[in-house]
Amino acid sequence: MRALAWHGKYDVRVDTVDDPEIINPRDAIIRVTSTAICGSDLHLYDGYIPTMQAGDILGHEFMGEVVEVGARSTLKKGQRVVVPFTISCGGCYHCKKQQFSACDNGLPADNQDIAQTAYGQPMSGLFGYSHMTGGYAGGQAEYVRVPFSDVGPIVIPDGVDDDKVLFLSDILPTGWQAAEYAEIEPGDTVAVWGCGPVGLFAVQSAFLMGAERVIAIDHRDGRLALAKRFGAEVLNFEKVDIYNALMQLTGGIGPDAVIDAVGLEAHGMFVDNIVDHVKAATFLGTDRTHAIRQAILACRKGGRVSMPAVYGGFVDKFPLGAFMEKGLTLKTGQTHVQHYMPALLAAVLEDKIDTTFLISHRLDLEQAPEGYDMFKNNQDEVTKVVLKPGLGGF
Ligand SMILES: [Zn+2]
Ligand SMILES: [Zn+2]
């Protein structure tokens, strides 16, 4: 089959590789019909995530048709499914608590020690996202093996277009969980750093949860315009001082809740950010953390901090003093996708949440390297690239 493989920094190629096979009775094989490039795929593309190996197949946002099932899969051939990016067993201590991204059994047994060493305990496996998260082949391919297919994938009713439901695989539940973790109360003012897909879904979710005002922060006018479409007030951090603007907009109090949807590759020429850049470039540090620092300083006293953004390693200059003195709470983590999928599928089918506005480009799988390049270098216009194997037109 054809699949997009990582070969190094800024080097991804569509290769011909072996077709995936059922190796466990709970597996299913999916013929991929749509798969998206995620902002967190750019962290791989940019070489920020350790434990990648040449030839690793990327992609964790995908859906398709079931073409083969193991003896213990609950799926049936011919069904259309969206697959969560987290690989979770459904039966361990954490899965039983609906905390699927904390699954104890998502990583292969011989692959648990990397995360164990870095994080203290292994986490769930992830598709197409380095060997620290299991080394699973991803879904930017014609076919993909889905472990625990009796737990993860959600069946999509006939006649519903891929583009409406594809984002149930990651960014829609991630934006929703981000808003839920901000513990929004009716009347709240919520500030969202980053108007990428997760930030934009967090904006929509925050309003649905009762926020009176949402203030969206980015430096790309095209993305700020999308946030505005959903009713957000917008701030461009290249044009205004964000802390002062937020104080002005909230009568000097600060937002009730803040959401960091930026993560480890924060942009901008701020002193702390430049130091992080230098450290990351020289391997003295792994994360650039300007957004979360600013969010903590701007948040009102006693407020809530939600951090869906991806961070990989250790940080310094984390304002722990401000965090304690202001009495903030922080909730974060990879998304418990399986927990949110059924309700969000219903919301999409009832047209309560719009997801298709996000897709700016639909390309054939063969054009994936071009898609990565476009997404990396023109994030103002390229909001989301969806790859469709067999689409043609290139
Ligand atoms: Zn993603
Ligand atoms: Zn589990």
Side-chain angles (χ1 to χ4, degrees):
M1 67 163 182
R2 301 286 282 164
L4 183 81
W6 184 91
H7 286 275
K9 193 172 174 177
Y10 307 141
D11 183 4
V12 293
R13 305 172 207 159
V14 182
D15 293 338
T16 299
V17 300
D18 291 341
D19 286 354
E21 289 174 358
I22 301 275
I23 57 175
N24 181 291
R26 294 173 71 183
D27 289 351
I29 306 291
I30 309 292
R31 180 180 65 80
V32 176
T33 52
S34 294
T35 173
I37 302 175
C38 179
S40 65
D41 288 330
L42 292 183
H43 302 327
L44 303 170
Y45 190 62
D46 293 346
Y48 273 95
I49 305 291
T51 75
M52 288 296 291
Q53 293 173 13
D56 284 349
I57 298 170
L58 303 186
H60 60 269
E61 301 182 355
F62 59 91
M63 63 177 297
E65 184 196 338
V66 179
V67 291
E68 222 184 311
V69 290
R72 286 186 56 205
S73 175
T74 48
L75 297 177
K76 294 182 181 66
K77 278 189 205 176
Q79 281 179 325
R80 289 170 67 226
V81 291
V82 177
V83 179
F85 76 97
T86 43
I87 299 172
S88 313
C89 76
C92 72
Y93 178 85
H94 305 284
C95 284
K96 288 216 164 108
K97 289 184 177 299
Q98 298 279 300
Q99 294 175 335
F100 292 97
S101 71
C103 177
D104 270 336
N105 300 316
L107 297 180
D110 60 354
N111 210 336
Q112 300 220 341
D113 55 328
I114 314 172
Q116 175 101 31
T117 306
Y119 300 146
Q121 276 121 22
M123 46 201 281
S124 80
L126 308 178
F127 286 98
Y129 215 81
S130 88
H131 290 262
M132 188 154 80
T133 60
Y136 291 99
Q140 287 165 8
E142 288 182 290
Y143 297 92
V144 59
R145 177 177 78 91
V146 176
F148 304 127
S149 67
D150 53 325
V151 177
I154 190 165
V155 177
I156 302 302
D158 287 340
V160 179
D161 192 55
D162 276 21
D163 292 352
K164 281 189 87 167
V165 291
L166 171 62
F167 301 142
L168 289 167
S169 56
D170 175 1
I171 51 176
L172 177 56
T174 298
W176 182 267
Q177 180 180 282
E180 195 175 276
Y181 279 8
E183 294 175 1
I184 293 161
E185 292 165 9
D188 271 354
T189 297
V190 181
V192 179
W193 273 254
C195 294
V198 169
L200 290 168
F201 285 138
V203 168
Q204 279 195 74
S205 304
F207 278 124
L208 284 171
M209 290 175 194
E212 188 175 311
R213 300 169 71 192
V214 179
I215 303 165
I217 301 157
D218 204 295
H219 64 140
R220 302 180 185 98
D221 289 325
R223 293 188 171 212
L224 288 170
L226 289 175
K228 222 175 189 170
R229 224 171 94 171
F230 294 109
E233 298 158 66
V234 299
L235 296 173
N236 183 328
F237 68 70
E238 286 178 346
K239 293 183 183 147
V240 295
D241 179 275
I242 294 300
Y243 174 86
N244 287 332
L246 286 173
M247 289 307 129
Q248 241 165 36
L249 286 168
T250 57
I253 290 176
D256 298 291
V258 296
I259 297 176
D260 169 14
V262 177
L264 60 79
E265 291 190 70
H267 291 263
M269 297 300 277
F270 306 98
V271 175
D272 58 347
N273 201 18
I274 292 166
V275 173
D276 285 342
H277 260 284
V278 172
K279 282 191 161 189
T282 52
F283 298 102
L284 289 169
T286 51
D287 300 272
R288 302 185 337 232
T289 53
H290 183 76
I292 188 65
R293 263 183 225 127
Q294 194 176 57
I296 287 169
L297 294 179
C299 188
R300 79 155 161 85
K301 289 176 276 185
R304 289 92 55 190
V305 182
S306 167
M307 196 177 77
V310 174
Y311 292 94
F314 299 89
V315 300
D316 58 10
K317 300 180 295 316
F318 185 79
L320 197 56
F323 204 84
M324 182 271 158
E325 296 290 350
K326 290 168 70 170
L328 305 180
T329 52
L330 169 68
K331 269 197 110 169
T332 184
Q334 296 282 9
T335 311
H336 305 306
V337 184
Q338 293 87 337
H339 173 63
Y340 295 105
M341 271 180 146
L344 287 174
L345 173 61
V348 166
L349 295 179
E350 288 163 21
D351 288 324
K352 285 189 186 145
I353 295 181
D354 173 31
T355 65
T356 54
F357 75 95
L358 197 58
I359 304 172
S360 56
H361 294 77
R362 292 171 184 82
L363 303 177
D364 192 282
L365 176 65
E366 297 293 328
Q367 294 168 290
E370 203 182 316
Y372 271 76
D373 184 64
M374 282 163 45
F375 189 36
K376 162 135 189 85
N377 293 306
N378 184 9
Q379 295 207 357
D380 201 23
E381 284 167 29
V382 185
T383 47
K384 194 73 176 173
V385 179
V386 174
L387 305 168
K388 295 183 183 270
L391 178 72
F394 58 93

